Structure formats: C-alpha cells, structure tokens
Amino acid sequence: MNYKNTATEILKYVGTETNVSHLEHCSTRLRFSLNDASLIDEASLKGIEGVMGVVKSNQFQIIIGNDVVEVYDELIKMLKLNVNEKTATKRENQSFGKVALDFIIGIFQPLVPAIAGAGVLKSILLLLSAFGLVETTSVIYQILASISDATFYFLPMMIAVTTANKLHSNRLVAVAAVGVTLLPQVTALIAEGAILFGMTIQPIAYNAQVFPAILCVSLLAVLEKFLNKVSPKSLRIFLVPMIALAITIPCTLLFLGPLGYNVGKVFTTMILFLYGKFGFVALAILAAVLPMMIATGMHKTLIPYAISTYGELGYEMLYLPASLAHNISESGACFAVWLKAKNPQLKSTALSAGISAFMGITEPALYGVTLQNKKVLYSVMMSGFLVGGFLGLIGLKAFAIVGPGFPAMSMFIDVTNSMNIVWAIVGFIASIAISFILVLLFWKEEQQVEENTQINPNAIIEVVTPIKGEVIDLTKVEDEMFSKKSLGEGFAIIPDVGELVAPTNGVIQMIFDTKHAIGMTTENGADILFHVGIDTVRLEGKPFEVFVKVGDHVKVGDTLLKFNIDEIKNAGYNPVTPVVVTNSQDMVVTCKKVGTIDKNETVMTIRRKGV
C-alpha cells in the first residue's frame, strides 16, 4: 500500500481537511469526528486501496486493518490538528445517546494501549514466575511488575488527559486537579474523617477509579470556559486555573468524587448481578453477537465497563472471555476458508486475516471474509456461542484489558487458581476447531463467472441507449457519487419506459440483491454499471424484475431488467438511471450526444487506452 496516496484519497472523500475536527485510531480503524457528515463520499472511500470498509455511527470510522498506524501518521501530517482548537461541529440532529457515546468512547479508547501493554506484561511475569524462571522477590520482577501497578494506580490521571482532550480543556490543569485525589497527604487526610465546610469527606481510595476523574475534569472544563470569558486577559494565565482548581477540588472531594465512585460501584454490581443470574447464557449470547457489534463499533461501549470492573475487582469475567471465544473462532473460520477456497485473492485474504485474528485482531477477518460470506458468519457465531457458554459455565477470569489472542493468553493466569489458564487454553483450542470444522462442512465457495468469450482489448465498443428516454450529462445527476464521476465516466437517462436492455454485447457480472443495479463486462473488458434510480436501494427490490443472472452472455437489445417508474416516483425517489464505466481509468470513454435518442443510436463509445 502507498500510505501517502491512501491518506490523500481518504482526506479528499471525507470532505477535505477543513471537515475534520478530530482524528484518532484504534487497532484497525481510523476514527473521524467530522464537522459536516453530508460531505462524506462513502462509495469512493470504499474504492480506495487499503480501505476495507466504513462504519457510520457516532464517529465516522474507516476500517484499514493492520496498516492503520501508517495511514494515520500520513493523515496527521496533512491535517496538523490542534487538539485544543475549538471547532464548531455540525450535529445533525444527533440524539443525546449518540453524543454521550461519542464522549465516553473518546475518553476510554486512547487508554487501551497503555492498559493492554501493562496488563499483558504483568501476566507474562506471572507466567515466568509460575515456571520458576524468575523470583517474585527479584529487583527486575518488582520493577517490571510496578509498570502495571502504576498504570492502574494513576489511571485517574490518564482519564484526566483524555477527558480534557475531549472537552477542549487544559490537559495539565486537569492532571493537577485529579492528582490531588491521589496525593498521599490528601488520601491520609480523608481516611481520618476530614471535615470540610461542615461536611465529612467520604473516605474513598481514588486510585484506579475512572468516573470521579471524568466528573472532576468536566466541572473544571465548564469553569474554565466561563472564567476565560470574564477574566481580564492580562491575568487569565494564572487567574483562570487558580479559581477553577480552588472550586473544583472541594466540589470533587465532597460531591463529584463520591458520586462517581458510587456510579462505578453500582455499574459493576449490576453487571455482576446479571452475570450471576444468567451466567453462561449472557456470555454465550455476547460471544455470538460480537461480529455485528465489532462491525458497527458498538463493542467499544463495553470498554468503560471492562476498565471499571477491572479497577474494582482486579479481573473481568464477561467481555474478555466472550472476546476470546469470538476472536479465535474468526481465526479458525478464516483458516478453513483459506484451505477450501479456489480463488487466489480470497485464499490470500483469508490466510492473512486468520493470522491477524489468531493474534487477537479481528477486523481484517470480519470485513475481508466473515461478513462477505453468510455461512462463515453463522459458523463463527455458532462457535462463539458454544465456547462462550462453556467459558461462562467454568467462570473464566481475565486479568488484563487486551484483545484476547495467542500472544496475550497469559492474561488468563490466575495465581490463586491454576486451572483458569488451562480452561482458557481449552476455550482457545475449541474455538479454532469448532469454527474450522463448521466452515469446512457448510461453506461453499461461490463460483466465479467464467467468460467463454475471449476479451479483445483492441475492440472499440459502441454503446446504444439502454432505456428509452432523455439522455443527460452525468454531471446533472443529483447524487455526487455519479455527478462527480467518482464511479467513472458515462451518461444518465431520464426514463420514459421501465425497461433496461443490453446496450452492447457482454457478460453479466453482478446483480445487486435489491435488483436496482446490474453490472456487465463488454467484449473489450469495459465494466459498465447500470444504476436505476437514486437511493432506490431502499426500495428493497419491490419495483424491479430481473431477467438475467450472473454469468449470462447477452447481446444488444436483450432485456436485463424491468421496473415500475410510477412506483419509484410515488415512493419519493428519482428514477434517473446513470450508466457508468467503472474502470474508466483504463478506458477512453466518449459520450456522443444528449437529448432524446433513437432506440439503436450510439450514445457512447469505449476503447482501451493506447488503442
């Protein structure tokens, strides 16, 4: 992949750098906060080299896979974003839920690398200690173990940074505010039952707590905004943080800290209650639906729960065991596809995706293989359900917040229960074996279209009008995907008759499930897409009747599709039909004329470049 070119194209189709207010990335996705979502060109984004898919939710997400860091770095060079810059973001009727979800994910997502790295390091140390390779009393063990201890002890200060970033507040002042709750003198003071303004400060150990820090920085950000407006500019540099801290710290110790602490405690108690009542069923269902949750990015909503629970209990029993069952099931399914597939591209994709899932990264498997093949998806879901139920029954515990995979299996080492890691290994093997066997048994590769006619690259194709009506310039179509020629050169027709015929000889290569679009390849290798109507995919095929199937050889004038123009219009859609050459980059496409065209009159010619 040319990372710079990929980044350039991505930036172009998300509305250029002026439309980007914030950018971050996770293990496989670019996560954009955009000023105006209407500027996104999803179709063009999906066609960029290296882009595996897009997800439009509270954040606009572009799935890249294992090269996400390199593409992100190139984007950052182009964007030169300032996290403290206040950008007016256009909220297109977003619900409170969506805004809150974006806020929570923006706080917790950046924490994952530090938490994952520290957690896995500690689990590896436990493994080495269990095999007698290192003494727990040795200096090197204690220093390395302290990395994990420090990460969770100072977790509130990391929360302060990410919350301040999200609220466009001063990060260092936020760290100072939250740092007070961890100061040994303050900890000792409130442990002794300190009284402030006639009220007893609730004795709380704030280390590893997340919600008190979020509430503390939220109040600080509100005060900063207000004080910046009313303070003299010459005194603002010290006056604003001084007053904001002086108000925030007592409020946090008296009200916000206890509120956040109790919210976190109730949250964890509720999850444990549900787990205790429904146990293995809850874990089985979660493992089964994780493919859809990951595909939409909704699995990120479980990160706050996992971090909060781990900080409270020191382990997690729901999300991470379910992730183990799902991740490794993805790997087994991909390896089976690799073994069974005949298509070289699919074999290559399945192998690399299987290895990534084996290591704990599932997006390449999901978008490259699983979601494109229903029986593979069902196999992964069944395997996740069975293994997830088993792991729930035996009560598997995870001791690190990291995506489960082969390198991170030490996260399941429990110093008080040696069987925990054994059951995790059993679950690992069962996941890969069950999904592998299910795919071998039930998945069948779709046969690729074989063209019996020899492609003649020197042929010049004459395209006659495929629909009776008025031919218009493609730039006049009220859909930027076509009018900006993102899909290729061509023309469009305002139809008088609801019948689409073959405008030249060729082979049918693609028919959309919703029947509104058909693709064919001509005798010189040009790929032509016929798209009946704008946004008619939402009609779910109702006004359309297809008369061909994939692989059919058609001649000029053969009926491909019939459609009801009145039904399309009555549903509120425009029946204008773009006809585009999707591999225009390899062709010279010449549109002959516009207006009302006779039935057999040439509208467009196509020849290969260099011919």
Side-chain angles (χ1 to χ4, degrees), residues 114-116 118-119 122 146-156 158 182 206-209 306-307 310-311 399-401:
I115 293 172
K122 188 166 187 178
S146 68
I147 295 173
S148 178
D149 296 338
T151 300
F152 284 95
Y153 185 89
F154 293 109
L155 181 61
M158 291 188 280
L182 302 176
Y206 285 104
N207 58 295
Q209 295 293 324
I307 293 175
Y310 185 85
F399 293 86
I401 309 297

Side-chain angles (χ1 to χ4, degrees), residues 72 134 203 207 484 505 589:
Y72 172 82
V134 63
N207 58 295
K484 289 185 176 180
N505 298 338
V589 180

Side-chain angles (χ1 to χ4, degrees), residues 263-278:
V263 166
K265 205 154 184 67
V266 169
F267 190 38
T268 302
T269 303
M270 286 175 59
I271 294 292
L272 291 177
F273 173 78
L274 291 173
Y275 184 85
K277 287 292 182 183
F278 303 105

